[in-house]
Amino acid sequence: MTTYGATPAHVAIIMDGNGRWAKARGLPRLAGHRAGVEALRRTVRAAPGLGIAYLTVYAFSSENWSRPQSEVSDLMGLLKIFIRRDLAELHQNGVKVVVIGDRATLQPEIRSLLEEAELLTAGNGALTLAIAFNYGGRDEIARAARKLALSVARGEIDPEDITPAAFSSALDTAGIPDPELVIRTSGELRLSNFLLWQAAYSELAFLPCYWPDFSADHLAEAVREFGRRERRFGGLAPQDVAL
Ligand code: FPP
């Protein structure tokens, strides 16, 4: 299968560069993360108008715990503020909030805020916003494997039932289509443990700007650039088939 010119239904973003944005201005890293939340708000508002139905953002990775305790607690605080301040607007705009990642080790207060956001917005359909929090691709894959192994051990499924589709359904992103486009800001050229399974055939866009500078125009340009990509999924382009 080859496709061109379509709008990506699912865009996933590695919001990178908050710290460097702050440093360039002589500001504390927290100022960069705060400006990052503003950029996230802009992006969520712009996405539906560009035909995006699913937006996944990498807000806190399972490796981010290794940052200084003060920064970890700043990021936890920003998540709480984001949910508390923005939930009403998100709901009003028809945004369905889902959270991917391992919740087991999060503070109970954060867990219940996340559950409240998911519950309130579960029926919305304008945009699904998947927040990757305490998320790591390898951890997600290992947890899915454990779930499936448990089902085999209980006799609920056979090992032969573990197909790619069954595996996808055991991931945190069950029910969400794979991202067609993964964007990373700040000029770094790697996936950093983000959506490792789901991004198998994603188009990748690496933007030089720091995340706090990301705008609706950047998003629109990335979507336009996606439309110019030839996607072959391991097959051949139509003009090469007869050769
Ligand atoms: C990467 O920048 C960004 C993060 C680790 C966190 C992303 C968080 C936000 C955009 C704000 C929080 C949003 C919510 C909803 C909690 P970095 O700190 O690694 O930047 P650097 O590489 O320049 O140091």
Short mmCIF file of all heavy atoms in Angstrom, two decimals, residues 15-20 29 33 36-37 40 58-59 64 67 71 75 78-79 82 133 211, ligand 1:
data_model
loop_
_atom_site.label_atom_id
_atom_site.label_comp_id
_atom_site.label_asym_id
_atom_site.label_seq_id
_atom_site.Cartn_x
_atom_site.Cartn_y
_atom_site.Cartn_z
N MET A 15 7.79 16.66 23.12
CA MET A 15 7.86 18.11 23.40
C MET A 15 9.22 18.40 24.05
O MET A 15 9.32 18.47 25.26
CB MET A 15 6.71 18.50 24.34
CG MET A 15 5.34 18.01 23.89
SD MET A 15 3.99 18.53 24.98
CE MET A 15 4.25 17.53 26.44
N ASP A 16 10.23 18.59 23.24
CA ASP A 16 11.60 18.67 23.78
C ASP A 16 12.16 20.09 23.66
O ASP A 16 11.86 20.81 22.70
CB ASP A 16 12.49 17.69 23.01
CG ASP A 16 13.81 17.44 23.72
OD1 ASP A 16 13.93 17.80 24.91
OD2 ASP A 16 14.71 16.87 23.09
N GLY A 17 12.99 20.45 24.63
CA GLY A 17 13.72 21.72 24.55
C GLY A 17 13.28 22.78 25.55
O GLY A 17 13.73 23.93 25.45
N ASN A 18 12.44 22.41 26.51
CA ASN A 18 12.00 23.40 27.50
C ASN A 18 13.18 23.97 28.28
O ASN A 18 13.26 25.18 28.53
CB ASN A 18 11.02 22.77 28.51
CG ASN A 18 9.75 22.29 27.87
OD1 ASN A 18 9.44 22.64 26.74
ND2 ASN A 18 9.00 21.47 28.59
N GLY A 19 14.09 23.07 28.67
CA GLY A 19 15.24 23.49 29.50
C GLY A 19 16.15 24.43 28.72
O GLY A 19 16.58 25.48 29.24
N ARG A 20 16.43 24.09 27.45
CA ARG A 20 17.32 24.94 26.65
C ARG A 20 16.66 26.28 26.32
O ARG A 20 17.31 27.31 26.27
CB ARG A 20 17.73 24.20 25.36
CG ARG A 20 18.86 23.20 25.61
CD ARG A 20 18.99 22.20 24.50
NE ARG A 20 17.93 21.21 24.56
CZ ARG A 20 17.63 20.36 23.59
NH1 ARG A 20 18.30 20.42 22.45
NH2 ARG A 20 16.69 19.48 23.76
N ARG A 29 14.65 26.39 34.77
CA ARG A 29 14.04 25.37 33.90
C ARG A 29 12.52 25.35 34.04
O ARG A 29 11.80 25.09 33.07
CB ARG A 29 14.64 23.99 34.23
CG ARG A 29 16.11 23.87 33.85
CD ARG A 29 16.66 22.49 34.23
NE ARG A 29 15.97 21.42 33.53
CZ ARG A 29 16.24 21.03 32.28
NH1 ARG A 29 17.21 21.63 31.61
NH2 ARG A 29 15.56 20.06 31.71
N HIS A 33 9.36 24.85 31.35
CA HIS A 33 8.25 23.88 31.39
C HIS A 33 6.89 24.60 31.39
O HIS A 33 5.95 24.14 30.77
CB HIS A 33 8.39 22.98 32.62
CG HIS A 33 9.58 22.07 32.56
ND1 HIS A 33 9.91 21.34 31.44
CD2 HIS A 33 10.54 21.78 33.48
CE1 HIS A 33 11.01 20.64 31.68
NE2 HIS A 33 11.42 20.89 32.90
N GLY A 36 6.20 25.57 28.11
CA GLY A 36 5.86 24.33 27.40
C GLY A 36 4.38 23.99 27.54
O GLY A 36 3.75 23.49 26.60
N VAL A 37 3.82 24.25 28.71
CA VAL A 37 2.39 23.99 28.90
C VAL A 37 1.58 24.93 27.99
O VAL A 37 0.58 24.53 27.39
CB VAL A 37 1.98 24.16 30.39
CG1 VAL A 37 0.47 24.00 30.55
CG2 VAL A 37 2.70 23.15 31.26
N LEU A 40 1.59 23.55 24.64
CA LEU A 40 0.67 22.41 24.58
C LEU A 40 -0.77 22.89 24.39
O LEU A 40 -1.52 22.36 23.56
CB LEU A 40 0.82 21.57 25.87
CG LEU A 40 -0.15 20.41 26.05
CD1 LEU A 40 -0.02 19.41 24.90
CD2 LEU A 40 0.10 19.71 27.39
N TYR A 58 4.23 13.59 24.83
CA TYR A 58 5.13 12.94 25.80
C TYR A 58 5.42 13.96 26.90
O TYR A 58 6.23 14.86 26.74
CB TYR A 58 6.43 12.62 25.05
CG TYR A 58 7.26 11.46 25.55
CD1 TYR A 58 6.86 10.65 26.61
CD2 TYR A 58 8.47 11.15 24.93
CE1 TYR A 58 7.64 9.59 27.02
CE2 TYR A 58 9.25 10.09 25.34
CZ TYR A 58 8.84 9.30 26.39
OH TYR A 58 9.61 8.25 26.80
N ALA A 59 4.71 13.83 28.02
CA ALA A 59 4.81 14.83 29.08
C ALA A 59 5.81 14.45 30.18
O ALA A 59 6.40 15.33 30.81
CB ALA A 59 3.44 15.08 29.69
N ASN A 64 12.39 10.10 33.27
CA ASN A 64 12.50 11.46 33.83
C ASN A 64 12.62 11.48 35.35
O ASN A 64 12.98 12.51 35.94
CB ASN A 64 11.31 12.33 33.40
CG ASN A 64 11.37 12.80 31.95
OD1 ASN A 64 10.36 13.08 31.32
ND2 ASN A 64 12.58 12.90 31.40
N ARG A 67 15.79 12.91 36.99
CA ARG A 67 16.10 14.35 37.09
C ARG A 67 16.11 14.77 38.57
O ARG A 67 15.57 14.05 39.41
CB ARG A 67 15.04 15.16 36.32
CG ARG A 67 15.12 14.87 34.85
CD ARG A 67 14.29 15.82 34.03
NE ARG A 67 14.48 15.51 32.63
CZ ARG A 67 14.28 16.32 31.62
NH1 ARG A 67 13.82 17.53 31.85
NH2 ARG A 67 14.49 15.95 30.38
N GLU A 71 12.92 19.21 40.07
CA GLU A 71 12.33 19.29 38.72
C GLU A 71 11.20 18.25 38.56
O GLU A 71 10.17 18.55 37.94
CB GLU A 71 13.40 19.08 37.64
CG GLU A 71 12.81 19.25 36.24
CD GLU A 71 13.85 19.43 35.14
OE1 GLU A 71 15.03 19.69 35.44
OE2 GLU A 71 13.45 19.30 33.96
N LEU A 75 7.36 19.14 37.56
CA LEU A 75 6.60 18.55 36.43
C LEU A 75 5.30 17.92 36.94
O LEU A 75 4.25 18.03 36.28
CB LEU A 75 7.46 17.53 35.68
CG LEU A 75 8.57 18.15 34.82
CD1 LEU A 75 9.59 17.10 34.37
CD2 LEU A 75 7.98 18.86 33.59
N LEU A 78 2.98 20.77 37.52
CA LEU A 78 2.42 21.33 36.28
C LEU A 78 1.31 20.44 35.72
O LEU A 78 0.33 20.94 35.17
CB LEU A 78 3.53 21.50 35.23
CG LEU A 78 4.43 22.71 35.43
CD1 LEU A 78 5.53 22.73 34.39
CD2 LEU A 78 3.62 24.01 35.35
N LEU A 79 1.47 19.12 35.86
CA LEU A 79 0.41 18.23 35.39
C LEU A 79 -0.88 18.49 36.18
O LEU A 79 -1.97 18.62 35.60
CB LEU A 79 0.82 16.75 35.52
CG LEU A 79 -0.27 15.77 35.12
CD1 LEU A 79 -0.49 15.77 33.60
CD2 LEU A 79 0.03 14.35 35.59
N PHE A 82 -2.33 21.74 35.09
CA PHE A 82 -2.91 21.62 33.74
C PHE A 82 -4.29 20.96 33.81
O PHE A 82 -5.25 21.45 33.22
CB PHE A 82 -1.97 20.80 32.84
CG PHE A 82 -2.50 20.58 31.44
CD1 PHE A 82 -2.58 21.63 30.54
CD2 PHE A 82 -2.92 19.32 31.04
CE1 PHE A 82 -3.08 21.42 29.25
CE2 PHE A 82 -3.42 19.11 29.75
CZ PHE A 82 -3.50 20.17 28.85
N PHE A 133 2.34 9.94 30.40
CA PHE A 133 2.87 10.39 31.69
C PHE A 133 3.39 9.18 32.46
O PHE A 133 2.70 8.19 32.60
CB PHE A 133 1.78 11.12 32.49
CG PHE A 133 2.36 12.07 33.49
CD1 PHE A 133 2.73 13.36 33.13
CD2 PHE A 133 2.59 11.65 34.80
CE1 PHE A 133 3.30 14.22 34.05
CE2 PHE A 133 3.17 12.51 35.71
CZ PHE A 133 3.52 13.80 35.34
N TRP A 211 10.45 23.41 22.17
CA TRP A 211 9.02 23.20 22.34
C TRP A 211 8.24 24.47 22.73
O TRP A 211 7.18 24.75 22.15
CB TRP A 211 8.74 22.05 23.32
CG TRP A 211 7.28 21.92 23.61
CD1 TRP A 211 6.64 22.19 24.78
CD2 TRP A 211 6.25 21.56 22.65
NE1 TRP A 211 5.28 22.02 24.62
CE2 TRP A 211 5.03 21.62 23.33
CE3 TRP A 211 6.27 21.18 21.31
CZ2 TRP A 211 3.82 21.32 22.71
CZ3 TRP A 211 5.06 20.90 20.67
CH2 TRP A 211 3.86 20.96 21.37
C1 FPP B 1 11.58 18.07 27.52
O1 FPP B 1 12.29 19.25 27.70
C2 FPP B 1 10.31 18.18 28.14
C3 FPP B 1 9.92 17.44 29.21
C4 FPP B 1 10.74 16.45 29.91
C5 FPP B 1 8.60 17.63 29.79
C6 FPP B 1 7.55 18.07 28.84
C7 FPP B 1 6.62 18.81 29.64
C8 FPP B 1 5.89 19.87 29.24
C9 FPP B 1 5.80 20.40 27.88
C10 FPP B 1 5.13 20.63 30.23
C11 FPP B 1 4.37 19.76 31.11
C12 FPP B 1 3.08 19.38 30.54
C13 FPP B 1 2.25 18.68 31.27
C14 FPP B 1 0.88 18.39 30.80
C15 FPP B 1 2.71 18.16 32.57
P1 FPP B 1 13.65 19.15 28.50
O2 FPP B 1 13.39 19.56 29.90
O3 FPP B 1 14.26 17.81 28.34
O4 FPP B 1 14.48 20.25 27.74
P2 FPP B 1 16.05 20.24 27.49
O5 FPP B 1 16.35 18.98 26.71
O6 FPP B 1 16.25 21.48 26.69
O7 FPP B 1 16.71 20.28 28.84
#
